[in-house]
Amino acid sequence: SEAKVFFIQQFNRYIGPFNSGLSRDFVASDISHIQKNLDDNSFYLRFKNEELRDAVFYNKFCLSTDAVGEYKLYLHSFLSAREKKQQAKLLKEFYSLSTKSDGKYSFRVFPNGDSLKIISRKGNKKFLFALDSKVDPADFLRMKGVEFKEQ
């Protein structure tokens, strides 16, 4: 399909064998399934194996930089049941650290694929917290200079 060709071209142009760790370029058969979403702007891709999926996801930033031009790709993976449980645990922990004054929270936190997006009260600081991070949420907020409730 045209979509599959487009994705393979983007993967080879901006990730390629050098960044991916693969010993070859991506080929159409690396994508075993592709489905266009109802919004016409997003697709679901299934890769032939984990090595290919990881090669793309570990280098996803290469597909969304300004160098890519108008065809930036923002990738998010589906979370496993274990990852969803970890995400819910971390969200709860971050929510418990937030303080509220003048009707505004000290920070907001949102699920963002395989990470959490944390936005400061004023919205001028934005951070990503990986679901598999070894850093405690309170330590993370402290390091980033975000106000939070000490427990």
Side-chain angles (χ1 to χ4, degrees):
S1 75
E2 283 182 43
K4 192 182 271 194
V5 169
F6 168 78
F7 285 111
I8 294 300
Q9 287 174 345
Q10 294 298 95
F11 297 160
N12 283 327
R13 185 175 295 132
Y14 298 107
I15 297 175
F18 182 77
N19 288 326
S20 70
L22 300 174
S23 58
R24 61 174 178 76
D25 282 341
F26 291 92
V27 294
S29 63
D30 291 340
I31 299 173
S32 62
H33 184 77
I34 187 165
Q35 177 182 328
K36 192 172 193 171
N37 201 357
L38 296 175
D39 67 7
D40 270 357
N41 292 319
S42 58
F43 290 81
Y44 295 106
L45 302 179
R46 182 173 297 141
F47 293 91
K48 187 167 66 176
N49 60 47
E50 286 184 27
E51 180 185 22
L52 294 164
R53 180 202 64 205
D54 291 348
V56 172
F57 278 96
Y58 290 148
N59 294 287
K60 64 184 179 182
F61 64 91
C62 296
L63 300 168
S64 61
T65 66
D66 288 338
V68 174
E70 66 177 300
Y71 298 114
K72 291 181 185 180
L73 300 177
Y74 298 95
L75 306 180
H76 299 281
S77 60
F78 285 110
L79 300 179
S80 68
R82 184 183 54 77
E83 291 168 323
K84 285 180 185 178
K85 188 175 182 179
Q86 175 68 0
Q87 181 185 64
K89 177 184 170 262
L90 287 169
L91 278 169
K92 186 176 182 179
E93 196 167 339
F94 272 105
Y95 289 141
S96 73
L97 295 170
S98 185
T99 62
K100 190 174 185 180
S101 64
D102 299 327
K104 289 192 172 189
Y105 289 98
S106 55
F107 63 89
R108 294 174 292 152
V109 60
F110 306 96
N112 187 50
D114 56 0
S115 63
L116 299 178
K117 181 185 269 187
I118 293 115
I119 303 174
S120 66
R121 178 189 316 256
K122 295 179 183 174
N124 59 340
K125 295 180 183 177
K126 298 177 182 171
F127 308 103
L128 293 178
F129 185 86
L131 296 181
D132 60 355
S133 176
K134 303 296 184 227
V135 178
D136 180 71
D139 291 338
F140 179 81
L141 294 171
R142 190 176 296 110
M143 288 186 307
K144 300 300 182 181
V146 176
E147 179 189 332
F148 68 98
K149 183 181 357 176
E150 294 281 350
Q151 298 189 357

